[in-house]
Amino acid sequence: MKILFIGGNGNISWYCMQEAINQGHEVWMLHRGVTVGTRRDIQPEVQEVIKADFRDYDSTSKALLGYSFDVVIDFICYNAAQAIQDVALFSRKTSHFIFISSGSVYERGTRNLPYEENSPRCKYSIREYANDKINAENVFMDAYKDFGFPVTIVRPGYTYDTIIPVSCGLNDWTTCQRILDGKPVIILGDGSNLFTFTHSRDFAG
């Protein structure tokens, strides 16, 4: 299959690209050409890196002219506006679109454990990130219902790669300093909270 990864060398996406390469798929990447030190190098087996800032609709639309893909996977869509852009860009360019959402969209409460695909979502969360992902999911599902946009929503939990997994958000640098200072690592609640960590290699597999 011909697969386009939007992002591609991020916390979750790099191992997914590597797994697709290992399985013999034709892997493409849409990337703005800017990265940070915690990211892995792009695999040499990638067919082509299409350079565009995905937040700029016009330049991305031009960069994608003439392209089509069997599968498109967006790892960097975080809100409804970006989901609307995805639908506009790819409704005629792919037969399968995968949106990487978040397990944070699920309604909290022990009555819902363990979380499953059809577990109820939050109606409203105190976390802006969760609300934005819920709104993005709504855009994709409306597009599916209205004109058959071929979307699959995947909701990983806490997935890590080059960061240290901690239960209080992405504060891995302060965690390192606390360890070096001989201080305890801060966790949420009283230590009995149910919380899962998944390495991105396992998520990709």
Side-chain angles (χ1 to χ4, degrees):
M1 286 191 296
K2 186 177 180 181
I3 306 174
L4 175 68
F5 287 79
I6 302 172
N9 72 334
N11 184 52
I12 301 179
S13 57
W14 190 90
Y15 273 106
C16 292
M17 279 193 22
Q18 187 60 55
E19 181 65 22
I21 290 167
N22 293 345
Q23 291 187 18
H25 297 296
E26 187 177 325
V27 172
W28 297 60
M29 182 180 184
L30 180 63
H31 194 271
R32 62 181 177 159
V34 178
T35 190
V36 295
T38 57
R39 302 306 188 221
R40 298 180 183 273
D41 292 335
I42 298 169
Q43 296 91 333
E45 297 90 347
V46 171
Q47 296 288 321
E48 181 182 344
V49 178
I50 302 170
K51 289 192 176 180
D53 182 351
F54 198 60
R55 301 295 177 242
D56 183 333
Y57 177 86
D58 291 336
S59 66
T60 302
S61 181
K62 290 177 183 177
L64 289 170
L65 281 174
Y67 288 101
S68 63
F69 303 92
D70 297 308
V71 180
V72 174
I73 312 175
D74 191 348
F75 291 85
I76 59 171
C77 176
Y78 296 107
N79 57 46
Q82 293 163 8
I84 290 169
Q85 176 174 307
D86 270 329
V87 172
L89 285 170
F90 295 108
S91 59
R92 292 181 177 84
K93 288 186 177 293
T94 186
S95 54
H96 194 172
F97 185 93
I98 299 175
F99 167 50
I100 306 298
S101 185
S102 169
S104 64
V105 306
Y106 289 118
E107 184 179 300
R108 295 298 187 253
T110 54
R111 65 187 180 280
N112 297 317
L113 297 176
Y115 296 130
E116 298 178 347
E117 181 179 351
N118 294 322
S119 294
R121 296 186 312 164
C122 302
K123 292 182 174 60
Y124 176 77
S125 172
I126 60 171
R127 292 189 62 204
E128 181 181 5
Y129 175 82
N131 284 325
D132 285 346
K133 284 288 190 178
I134 290 169
N135 292 334
E137 286 193 11
N138 290 339
V139 168
F140 288 120
M141 291 311 298
D142 286 345
Y144 166 72
K145 293 171 185 174
D146 291 345
F147 55 89
F149 184 70
V151 65
T152 295
I153 295 172
V154 179
R155 298 177 182 139
Y158 191 115
T159 308
Y160 69 98
D161 177 16
T162 57
I163 60 174
I164 295 175
V166 291
S167 69
C168 290
L170 302 179
N171 61 344
D172 51 298
W173 59 91
T174 57
T175 300
C176 293
Q177 190 61 56
R178 291 185 68 82
I179 292 171
L180 290 171
D181 294 342
K183 297 178 180 178
V185 175
I186 298 173
I187 62 173
L188 294 173
D190 61 2
S192 62
N193 291 12
L194 296 176
F195 202 83
T196 60
F197 299 109
T198 303
H199 194 279
S200 55
R201 183 192 295 109
D202 298 317
F203 174 77

